[in-house]
């Protein structure tokens, strides 16, 4: 038994980046995407940074779907600081915003970037900053600048510095190998956090972004684990007879909702993380599962088939005041709240296809967001503007990112096999 | 007797047809399952319809005891043949045991009742459509439906272990109804 535990801990810590990295393919932006020019950043003489920072910013902005960055080969001039900007060059190209900057070594194995953002029509400098990071961390610096630019223009916090967790499934020597991975939102800088021959499911970020709860079948039976990302240390918090699934953190991080069938049938329970004390939340012969807390912590939504097929219900945090939210079709499941608590995103069956839909809780208005056909596992970015989900492409499971108000943005296929079960992290700093 | 056999025969043919459908994308297990069916089909047929001739023993010389023993043996063979079927299929989003599964499950239940030292693991599965966690619960409900059926028909709850893999372990790869139909299942595995 001791040996088994040691092996488990090791498997959780060792990271193999090459295996986990996803490719990215940007599909389309919004029709009203904002034209922005990210001019290639200047470099100090002889300095060769390991990453092309302005290219990463360009890709980040394109990925958001809200911007249409100008290809650099169409630029008429390539200024690297504000004094060299001729607004007319950029007005001619129909650009609304312009980002220029320079990268240089900053001593002590650090690299700094000085950048400035301009409003082309108003001929005005909007923002400028010098930021530095460790030389091997240039993607962090690039995503930081993308976040600043995004926020300065849209007024909403950017999510380029957040991360995603996901599960890959590969066939290796005829065996199924599952990996739990964490990467940047563009699929880069991926690392494996757990590897297993048995299924891994339902990764869920703690609200502080430091831990993941997930379901692993590694012992031969499903159990819920909490893993600290910095150390790889993990704890098995639930392995009751039957189902142990669908962990969902409370907004304060003190408790988890989860689905257990220890009392005979799939019900939702609340577990206090510190004491492991369980409180049963639902009591029905039907399947109750896939809970998600409202951001204010006063209620939660979940899937139940008590009406005959899976539908989304809402219940108060104390277990009272149950109401059914979805009526639009015979299959509506796995709800996830928007960060403002006003909408839910869920899997919705229309004809024989499964799409991601959004519902405004107050009005009940339902909008189908995806055109893909076998969609599942929606997860909302912490700024509420983007949504990641799993779908099928060419017989493989891939991740797709869309705008929360519709429109496809980018696809993240695995280099090898399937990628599924995406979970978008909260803001991380 | 003949009636029971013809029922079994029909069942095996029905299952055989299903296994045949999967021959392009079938797993090892599906393949093995197909060959079991044809073997039983031949042997079972000759036992029932040609037994007297092939044994070389005239029925007139048989005693009642021999007759009873032979019937008993045939019945046991029939039960054993049925127990070779260990996968039971379900319709989309249901856990209702299909009528064609019942006789086979009864054979398993009787065997478990007669052999209290044997135990089975019931693995519940769903097709890939819908959501993973709901499908985990659905797979469990299917496994538990089979468990209840076995218990009602004589097996002890202590002999049965259930687990659900949801949509994680499809029997057949593919994204069409013929693959889905083979993936919505409970597998009964003797331990």
């Amino acid at each position: 038994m001791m040996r088994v535990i040691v092996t488990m801990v090791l498997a959780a810590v060792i990271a193999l980046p090459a295996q986990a990295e996803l490719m990215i393919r940007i599909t389309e932006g919004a029709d009203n995407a904002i034209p922005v020019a990210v001019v290639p950043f200047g470099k100090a003489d002889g300095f060769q940074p390991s990453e092309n920072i302005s290219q990463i910013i360009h890709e980040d902005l394109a990925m958001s779907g809200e911007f249409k960055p100008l290809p650099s080969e169409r630029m008429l001039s390539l200024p690297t600081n504000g004094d060299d900007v001729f607004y007319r060059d950029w007005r001619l190209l129909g650009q609304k915003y312009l980002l220029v900057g320079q990268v240089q070594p900053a001593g002590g194995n650090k690299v700094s970037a000085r950048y400035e953002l301009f409003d082309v029509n108003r001929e005005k400098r909007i923002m400028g900053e010098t930021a530095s990071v460790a030389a091997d961390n240039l993607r962090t610096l690039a995503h930081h600048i993308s976040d600043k630019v995004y926020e300065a223009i849209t007024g909403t916090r950017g999510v380029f510095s957040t991360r995603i967790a996901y599960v890959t499934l590969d066939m290796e020597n005829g065996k199924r190998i599952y990996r739990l991975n964490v990467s940047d939102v563009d699929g880069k800088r991926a690392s494996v956090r757990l590897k297993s021959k048995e299924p891994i499911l339902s990764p869920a970020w703690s609200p502080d972004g430091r831990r993941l709860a997930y379901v692993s079948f590694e012992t031969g039976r499903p159990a819920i684990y909490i893993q600290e990302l910095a150390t790889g240390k993990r704890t098995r918090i639930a392995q009751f007879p039957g189902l142990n699934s669908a962990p969902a953190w409370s907004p304060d991080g003190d408790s988890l909702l989860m689905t257990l069938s220890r009392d005979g049938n799939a019900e939702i329970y609340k577990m206090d993380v510190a004491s492991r004390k369980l409180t049963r939340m639902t009591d029905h012969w039907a399947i109750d599962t896939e809970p998600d807390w409202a951001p204010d912590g006063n209620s939660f939504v979940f899937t139940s088939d008590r009406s005959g097929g899976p539908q989304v219900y809402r219940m108060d945090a104390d277990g009272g005041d149950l109401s059914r939210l979805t009526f639009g079709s015979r299959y509506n499941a796995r709800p996830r709240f928007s960060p403002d608590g006003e909408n839910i995103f869920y899997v919705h069956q229309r004809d024989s296809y499964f799409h991601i839909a959004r519902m405004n809780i107050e009005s009940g208005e339902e909008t189908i967001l995806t055109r893909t056909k076998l969609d599942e596992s929606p997860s909302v970015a912490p700024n509420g503007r983007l949504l990641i989900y799993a779908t099928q492409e060419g017989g493989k499971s891939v991740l797709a990112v869309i705008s929360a108000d519709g429109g496809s943005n980018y696809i993240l296929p695995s280099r090898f096999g399937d990628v599924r079960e995406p979970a978008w992290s909260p803001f991380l700093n | 007797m003949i009636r029971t056999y013809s029922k079994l025969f029909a069942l095996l043919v029905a299952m055989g047809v299903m296994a045949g459908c999967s021959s392009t994308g079938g797993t090892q297990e599906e393949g093995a399952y197909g060959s079991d069916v044809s073997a039983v089909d031949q042997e079972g047929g000759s036992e029932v319809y040609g037994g007297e001739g092939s044994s070389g023993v005239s029925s007139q010389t048989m005693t009642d005891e021999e007759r009873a023993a032979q019937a008993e043996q045939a019945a046991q063979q029939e039960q054993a043949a049925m127990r070779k079927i260990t996968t039971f299929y379900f319709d989309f989003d249901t856990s209702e045991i299909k009528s064609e599964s019942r006789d086979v499950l009864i054979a398993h239940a009787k065997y478990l009742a007669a052999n209290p030292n044997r135990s089975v693991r019931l693995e519940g599965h769903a097709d890939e459509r819908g959501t993973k966690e709901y499908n985990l619960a659905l797979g469990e409900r299917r496994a538990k439906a089979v468990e209840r059926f076995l218990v009602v028909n004589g097996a002890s709850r202590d002999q049965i272990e259930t687990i659900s893999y949801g949509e994680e372990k499809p029997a057949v790869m593919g994204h069409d109804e013929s693959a889905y139909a083979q993936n919505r299942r409970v597998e009964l595995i003797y331990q």
Side-chain angles (χ1 to χ4, degrees), chain B residues 26-70:
Chain B
T27 60
Q28 258 182 343
E29 193 179 1
E30 296 286 332
Y33 173 48
S35 64
D36 281 345
V37 170
S38 61
V40 171
D41 195 4
Q42 285 160 7
E43 276 179 31
S46 67
E47 282 292 334
V48 178
Y49 304 109
E52 289 163 86
S54 65
S55 70
V57 180
S58 149
S59 64
Q60 282 142 328
T61 65
M62 271 177 118
T63 65
D64 284 353
E65 275 159 22
E66 281 169 334
R67 225 185 271 278
Q70 194 185 46

Short mmCIF file of all heavy atoms in Angstrom, two decimals, chain B residues 26-70:
data_model
loop_
_atom_site.label_atom_id
_atom_site.label_comp_id
_atom_site.label_asym_id
_atom_site.label_seq_id
_atom_site.Cartn_x
_atom_site.Cartn_y
_atom_site.Cartn_z
N GLY B 26 -14.76 -3.86 -34.61
CA GLY B 26 -14.92 -4.59 -33.36
C GLY B 26 -13.63 -4.70 -32.56
O GLY B 26 -12.54 -4.74 -33.12
N THR B 27 -13.74 -4.74 -31.27
CA THR B 27 -12.59 -4.97 -30.43
C THR B 27 -12.34 -6.46 -30.38
O THR B 27 -13.13 -7.25 -30.89
CB THR B 27 -12.84 -4.48 -29.01
OG1 THR B 27 -13.96 -5.22 -28.52
CG2 THR B 27 -13.16 -3.01 -28.98
N GLN B 28 -11.26 -6.86 -29.72
CA GLN B 28 -10.97 -8.27 -29.52
C GLN B 28 -12.15 -8.98 -28.89
O GLN B 28 -12.55 -10.04 -29.30
CB GLN B 28 -9.78 -8.41 -28.59
CG GLN B 28 -8.51 -8.73 -29.33
CD GLN B 28 -7.36 -8.91 -28.40
OE1 GLN B 28 -7.42 -8.50 -27.24
NE2 GLN B 28 -6.32 -9.51 -28.88
N GLU B 29 -12.66 -8.30 -27.91
CA GLU B 29 -13.74 -8.91 -27.16
C GLU B 29 -14.94 -9.20 -28.05
O GLU B 29 -15.52 -10.27 -28.01
CB GLU B 29 -14.15 -7.95 -26.05
CG GLU B 29 -15.03 -8.60 -25.05
CD GLU B 29 -15.38 -7.60 -23.98
OE1 GLU B 29 -14.95 -6.44 -24.08
OE2 GLU B 29 -16.08 -7.99 -23.07
N GLU B 30 -15.26 -8.24 -28.90
CA GLU B 30 -16.39 -8.42 -29.80
C GLU B 30 -16.13 -9.61 -30.72
O GLU B 30 -16.99 -10.41 -31.00
CB GLU B 30 -16.59 -7.16 -30.65
CG GLU B 30 -16.97 -5.94 -29.85
CD GLU B 30 -18.40 -5.98 -29.37
OE1 GLU B 30 -19.24 -6.63 -30.04
OE2 GLU B 30 -18.68 -5.39 -28.33
N GLY B 31 -14.88 -9.72 -31.19
CA GLY B 31 -14.53 -10.80 -32.09
C GLY B 31 -14.69 -12.15 -31.42
O GLY B 31 -15.32 -13.06 -31.95
N ALA B 32 -14.16 -12.26 -30.21
CA ALA B 32 -14.24 -13.50 -29.45
C ALA B 32 -15.70 -13.88 -29.23
O ALA B 32 -16.10 -15.03 -29.35
CB ALA B 32 -13.53 -13.34 -28.11
N TYR B 33 -16.46 -12.87 -28.96
CA TYR B 33 -17.88 -13.02 -28.69
C TYR B 33 -18.58 -13.60 -29.92
O TYR B 33 -19.33 -14.56 -29.84
CB TYR B 33 -18.37 -11.62 -28.34
CG TYR B 33 -19.83 -11.45 -28.15
CD1 TYR B 33 -20.55 -12.33 -27.37
CD2 TYR B 33 -20.47 -10.38 -28.76
CE1 TYR B 33 -21.90 -12.12 -27.19
CE2 TYR B 33 -21.81 -10.18 -28.57
CZ TYR B 33 -22.52 -11.05 -27.79
OH TYR B 33 -23.83 -10.86 -27.62
N GLY B 34 -18.21 -13.10 -31.10
CA GLY B 34 -18.80 -13.60 -32.34
C GLY B 34 -18.50 -15.08 -32.54
O GLY B 34 -19.38 -15.85 -32.86
N SER B 35 -17.27 -15.48 -32.26
CA SER B 35 -16.92 -16.89 -32.49
C SER B 35 -17.60 -17.79 -31.46
O SER B 35 -18.00 -18.89 -31.78
CB SER B 35 -15.40 -17.07 -32.46
OG SER B 35 -14.90 -16.76 -31.18
N ASP B 36 -17.77 -17.30 -30.25
CA ASP B 36 -18.52 -18.07 -29.26
C ASP B 36 -19.91 -18.39 -29.77
O ASP B 36 -20.40 -19.50 -29.67
CB ASP B 36 -18.69 -17.26 -27.96
CG ASP B 36 -17.43 -17.30 -27.13
OD1 ASP B 36 -16.58 -18.16 -27.41
OD2 ASP B 36 -17.32 -16.48 -26.23
N VAL B 37 -20.51 -17.40 -30.36
CA VAL B 37 -21.88 -17.57 -30.82
C VAL B 37 -21.98 -18.67 -31.86
O VAL B 37 -22.79 -19.57 -31.75
CB VAL B 37 -22.42 -16.23 -31.38
CG1 VAL B 37 -23.75 -16.46 -32.07
CG2 VAL B 37 -22.59 -15.23 -30.25
N SER B 38 -21.08 -18.66 -32.83
CA SER B 38 -21.21 -19.67 -33.89
C SER B 38 -20.91 -21.06 -33.34
O SER B 38 -21.56 -22.03 -33.72
CB SER B 38 -20.30 -19.33 -35.07
OG SER B 38 -18.95 -19.32 -34.63
N ALA B 39 -19.94 -21.16 -32.39
CA ALA B 39 -19.64 -22.47 -31.82
C ALA B 39 -20.86 -23.04 -31.10
O ALA B 39 -21.25 -24.17 -31.30
CB ALA B 39 -18.47 -22.36 -30.84
N VAL B 40 -21.47 -22.23 -30.32
CA VAL B 40 -22.65 -22.66 -29.57
C VAL B 40 -23.76 -23.03 -30.54
O VAL B 40 -24.44 -24.04 -30.39
CB VAL B 40 -23.11 -21.53 -28.63
CG1 VAL B 40 -24.45 -21.88 -28.03
CG2 VAL B 40 -22.08 -21.32 -27.54
N ASP B 41 -23.88 -22.22 -31.54
CA ASP B 41 -24.91 -22.44 -32.54
C ASP B 41 -24.81 -23.86 -33.11
O ASP B 41 -25.78 -24.61 -33.16
CB ASP B 41 -24.69 -21.40 -33.64
CG ASP B 41 -25.89 -21.27 -34.55
OD1 ASP B 41 -26.89 -21.93 -34.25
OD2 ASP B 41 -25.80 -20.51 -35.52
N GLN B 42 -23.60 -24.28 -33.50
CA GLN B 42 -23.43 -25.59 -34.12
C GLN B 42 -23.64 -26.71 -33.11
O GLN B 42 -24.44 -27.59 -33.29
CB GLN B 42 -22.02 -25.71 -34.71
CG GLN B 42 -21.87 -24.91 -36.00
CD GLN B 42 -20.43 -24.62 -36.33
OE1 GLN B 42 -19.52 -25.11 -35.68
NE2 GLN B 42 -20.22 -23.80 -37.35
N GLU B 43 -22.91 -26.61 -32.00
CA GLU B 43 -23.00 -27.68 -31.00
C GLU B 43 -24.41 -27.80 -30.45
O GLU B 43 -24.98 -28.85 -30.38
CB GLU B 43 -22.06 -27.40 -29.84
CG GLU B 43 -20.64 -27.85 -30.11
CD GLU B 43 -19.74 -27.52 -28.96
OE1 GLU B 43 -20.23 -27.51 -27.82
OE2 GLU B 43 -18.55 -27.24 -29.23
N GLY B 44 -24.94 -26.64 -30.09
CA GLY B 44 -26.28 -26.62 -29.51
C GLY B 44 -27.27 -27.25 -30.47
O GLY B 44 -28.08 -28.09 -30.10
N GLY B 45 -27.16 -26.91 -31.75
CA GLY B 45 -28.06 -27.43 -32.76
C GLY B 45 -27.96 -28.95 -32.84
O GLY B 45 -28.97 -29.65 -32.82
N SER B 46 -26.74 -29.48 -32.85
CA SER B 46 -26.59 -30.93 -33.00
C SER B 46 -27.05 -31.64 -31.74
O SER B 46 -27.63 -32.70 -31.80
CB SER B 46 -25.13 -31.27 -33.32
OG SER B 46 -24.31 -30.97 -32.21
N GLU B 47 -26.85 -31.07 -30.59
CA GLU B 47 -27.36 -31.67 -29.35
C GLU B 47 -28.87 -31.81 -29.42
O GLU B 47 -29.42 -32.84 -29.12
CB GLU B 47 -27.02 -30.77 -28.15
CG GLU B 47 -25.58 -30.87 -27.67
CD GLU B 47 -25.27 -32.22 -27.04
OE1 GLU B 47 -26.20 -32.89 -26.54
OE2 GLU B 47 -24.09 -32.61 -27.09
N VAL B 48 -29.49 -30.78 -29.83
CA VAL B 48 -30.95 -30.77 -29.77
C VAL B 48 -31.57 -31.61 -30.87
O VAL B 48 -32.37 -32.47 -30.62
CB VAL B 48 -31.48 -29.34 -29.89
CG1 VAL B 48 -33.00 -29.35 -29.89
CG2 VAL B 48 -30.94 -28.49 -28.77
N TYR B 49 -31.11 -31.35 -32.05
CA TYR B 49 -31.82 -31.96 -33.17
C TYR B 49 -31.20 -33.26 -33.65
O TYR B 49 -31.86 -34.05 -34.28
CB TYR B 49 -31.92 -30.96 -34.33
CG TYR B 49 -32.57 -29.68 -33.89
CD1 TYR B 49 -31.85 -28.51 -33.76
CD2 TYR B 49 -33.94 -29.68 -33.57
CE1 TYR B 49 -32.46 -27.34 -33.35
CE2 TYR B 49 -34.55 -28.52 -33.15
CZ TYR B 49 -33.81 -27.35 -33.04
OH TYR B 49 -34.41 -26.22 -32.62
N GLY B 50 -29.94 -33.52 -33.36
CA GLY B 50 -29.32 -34.73 -33.89
C GLY B 50 -28.68 -35.59 -32.80
O GLY B 50 -27.88 -36.45 -33.09
N GLY B 51 -28.99 -35.32 -31.56
CA GLY B 51 -28.32 -35.97 -30.44
C GLY B 51 -28.43 -37.47 -30.46
O GLY B 51 -27.45 -38.19 -30.31
N GLU B 52 -29.62 -37.95 -30.68
CA GLU B 52 -29.83 -39.40 -30.63
C GLU B 52 -29.05 -40.12 -31.71
O GLU B 52 -28.40 -41.11 -31.47
CB GLU B 52 -31.32 -39.71 -30.76
CG GLU B 52 -32.07 -39.30 -29.52
CD GLU B 52 -33.56 -39.20 -29.76
OE1 GLU B 52 -34.22 -40.23 -29.64
OE2 GLU B 52 -34.05 -38.11 -30.09
N GLY B 53 -29.10 -39.57 -32.91
CA GLY B 53 -28.40 -40.18 -34.03
C GLY B 53 -26.90 -40.21 -33.80
O GLY B 53 -26.28 -41.25 -33.89
N SER B 54 -26.36 -39.12 -33.44
CA SER B 54 -24.90 -39.04 -33.35
C SER B 54 -24.37 -39.84 -32.17
O SER B 54 -23.25 -40.33 -32.20
CB SER B 54 -24.46 -37.57 -33.23
OG SER B 54 -24.93 -37.05 -32.01
N SER B 55 -25.15 -40.00 -31.13
CA SER B 55 -24.67 -40.77 -29.98
C SER B 55 -24.70 -42.26 -30.29
O SER B 55 -24.03 -43.05 -29.64
CB SER B 55 -25.53 -40.49 -28.75
OG SER B 55 -26.81 -41.07 -28.92
N GLY B 56 -25.48 -42.66 -31.26
CA GLY B 56 -25.56 -44.07 -31.61
C GLY B 56 -26.40 -44.86 -30.64
O GLY B 56 -26.46 -46.07 -30.69
N VAL B 57 -27.05 -44.21 -29.72
CA VAL B 57 -27.88 -44.91 -28.74
C VAL B 57 -29.34 -44.68 -29.09
O VAL B 57 -29.77 -43.54 -29.24
CB VAL B 57 -27.60 -44.39 -27.32
CG1 VAL B 57 -28.46 -45.12 -26.31
CG2 VAL B 57 -26.12 -44.57 -27.00
N SER B 58 -30.05 -45.75 -29.23
CA SER B 58 -31.47 -45.60 -29.55
C SER B 58 -32.22 -45.13 -28.32
O SER B 58 -31.96 -45.53 -27.20
CB SER B 58 -32.02 -46.95 -30.03
OG SER B 58 -33.37 -47.02 -29.66
N SER B 59 -33.17 -44.25 -28.57
CA SER B 59 -33.90 -43.67 -27.45
C SER B 59 -34.73 -44.74 -26.73
O SER B 59 -34.98 -44.62 -25.55
CB SER B 59 -34.80 -42.54 -27.94
OG SER B 59 -35.76 -43.07 -28.83
N GLN B 60 -35.13 -45.81 -27.44
CA GLN B 60 -35.95 -46.82 -26.81
C GLN B 60 -35.21 -47.56 -25.70
O GLN B 60 -35.81 -48.06 -24.77
CB GLN B 60 -36.44 -47.83 -27.85
CG GLN B 60 -37.58 -47.29 -28.66
CD GLN B 60 -37.49 -47.73 -30.12
OE1 GLN B 60 -36.40 -47.91 -30.66
NE2 GLN B 60 -38.64 -47.90 -30.76
N THR B 61 -33.89 -47.63 -25.83
CA THR B 61 -33.14 -48.36 -24.82
C THR B 61 -32.79 -47.49 -23.61
O THR B 61 -32.23 -47.96 -22.64
CB THR B 61 -31.81 -48.90 -25.40
OG1 THR B 61 -31.00 -47.79 -25.75
CG2 THR B 61 -32.06 -49.78 -26.60
N MET B 62 -33.12 -46.20 -23.67
CA MET B 62 -32.78 -45.32 -22.55
C MET B 62 -33.72 -45.54 -21.38
O MET B 62 -34.93 -45.71 -21.57
CB MET B 62 -32.94 -43.86 -22.98
CG MET B 62 -31.71 -43.27 -23.59
SD MET B 62 -32.13 -41.61 -24.11
CE MET B 62 -31.02 -40.70 -23.10
N THR B 63 -33.19 -45.52 -20.20
CA THR B 63 -34.03 -45.58 -19.01
C THR B 63 -34.53 -44.17 -18.71
O THR B 63 -34.02 -43.19 -19.25
CB THR B 63 -33.23 -46.06 -17.79
OG1 THR B 63 -32.24 -45.07 -17.51
CG2 THR B 63 -32.59 -47.40 -18.04
N ASP B 64 -35.51 -44.10 -17.85
CA ASP B 64 -36.02 -42.77 -17.45
C ASP B 64 -34.91 -41.96 -16.81
O ASP B 64 -34.82 -40.76 -17.02
CB ASP B 64 -37.17 -42.92 -16.45
CG ASP B 64 -38.44 -43.34 -17.18
OD1 ASP B 64 -38.41 -43.36 -18.44
OD2 ASP B 64 -39.44 -43.64 -16.50
N GLU B 65 -34.07 -42.67 -16.02
CA GLU B 65 -32.98 -41.96 -15.36
C GLU B 65 -32.01 -41.37 -16.37
O GLU B 65 -31.59 -40.23 -16.26
CB GLU B 65 -32.21 -42.90 -14.41
CG GLU B 65 -32.86 -42.98 -13.06
CD GLU B 65 -32.45 -44.24 -12.31
OE1 GLU B 65 -31.38 -44.80 -12.67
OE2 GLU B 65 -33.20 -44.64 -11.42
N GLU B 66 -31.67 -42.20 -17.38
CA GLU B 66 -30.76 -41.72 -18.42
C GLU B 66 -31.37 -40.52 -19.13
O GLU B 66 -30.70 -39.53 -19.43
CB GLU B 66 -30.47 -42.83 -19.44
CG GLU B 66 -29.43 -43.80 -18.93
CD GLU B 66 -29.32 -45.04 -19.81
OE1 GLU B 66 -30.34 -45.40 -20.48
OE2 GLU B 66 -28.25 -45.66 -19.81
N ARG B 67 -32.67 -40.69 -19.39
CA ARG B 67 -33.37 -39.60 -20.05
C ARG B 67 -33.28 -38.30 -19.23
O ARG B 67 -32.97 -37.24 -19.74
CB ARG B 67 -34.85 -39.99 -20.21
CG ARG B 67 -35.41 -39.70 -21.56
CD ARG B 67 -36.90 -40.00 -21.56
NE ARG B 67 -37.18 -41.37 -21.92
CZ ARG B 67 -37.23 -41.80 -23.20
NH1 ARG B 67 -37.03 -40.95 -24.19
NH2 ARG B 67 -37.49 -43.04 -23.48
N ALA B 68 -33.54 -38.47 -17.94
CA ALA B 68 -33.52 -37.30 -17.05
C ALA B 68 -32.10 -36.71 -16.99
O ALA B 68 -31.92 -35.49 -17.04
CB ALA B 68 -33.97 -37.70 -15.64
N ALA B 69 -31.10 -37.62 -16.93
CA ALA B 69 -29.72 -37.16 -16.85
C ALA B 69 -29.35 -36.39 -18.11
O ALA B 69 -28.70 -35.35 -18.06
CB ALA B 69 -28.78 -38.34 -16.65
N GLN B 70 -29.82 -36.96 -19.23
CA GLN B 70 -29.50 -36.30 -20.49
C GLN B 70 -30.17 -34.92 -20.57
O GLN B 70 -29.55 -33.95 -20.99
CB GLN B 70 -29.97 -37.18 -21.66
CG GLN B 70 -29.37 -36.73 -22.96
CD GLN B 70 -29.91 -37.51 -24.13
OE1 GLN B 70 -31.11 -37.72 -24.27
NE2 GLN B 70 -29.00 -37.96 -24.99
#
